[in-house]
Amino acid sequence: MRWQWICDGVDWGEVEALFAAVELGGRNGDKLRRAFLASQLVCFVYDGDKLIGVARALTDGEYHALIYDVAVHPDYQRSGIGTELLAHLLERLPVWR
């Protein structure tokens, strides 16, 4: 697995296809790209060249953070990737605990 924490080089068509595969409809086109670019923390998970997971978070940097758009490809669900993705996000969020 390869974990990517920036939007550089992301194929937004793949992200859109992942959301469709997990039935999180309504996330498409340039609006989807802009939402990830506007987020303080993003994560893309790859198995080789295949995008298998994504998530993003918004934070005030002090007290609160919200995690959005967590998706794991159906072929990879129930394998711990979603749990690991959330754990990595929580480790990186700069909020008071």
Side-chain angles (χ1 to χ4, degrees):
M1 301 292 160
R2 176 171 58 92
W3 299 76
Q4 179 173 317
W5 298 97
I6 57 175
C7 292
D8 294 354
V10 169
D11 180 335
W12 296 104
E14 282 186 289
V15 178
E16 189 173 339
L18 177 60
F19 281 124
V22 298
E23 299 181 0
L24 286 174
R27 288 162 176 82
N28 51 38
D30 199 50
K31 191 173 187 177
L32 175 62
R33 181 188 66 81
R34 290 192 314 267
F36 272 80
L37 289 173
S39 300
Q40 285 90 2
L41 184 61
V42 297
C43 184
F44 303 91
V45 185
Y46 293 88
D47 183 6
D49 290 334
K50 181 179 182 179
L51 179 67
I52 61 166
V54 298
R56 65 187 185 96
L58 303 175
T59 180
D60 63 12
E62 296 295 337
Y63 298 106
H64 302 287
L66 297 170
I67 296 173
Y68 290 98
D69 297 330
V70 178
V72 175
H73 192 280
D75 293 345
Y76 293 82
Q77 291 178 3
R78 307 274 187 255
S79 65
I81 293 169
T83 301
E84 192 173 354
L85 202 159
L86 286 173
H88 285 310
L89 284 176
L90 290 172
E91 287 172 2
R92 287 171 170 78
L93 284 169
V95 294
W96 175 79
R97 298 182 211 278

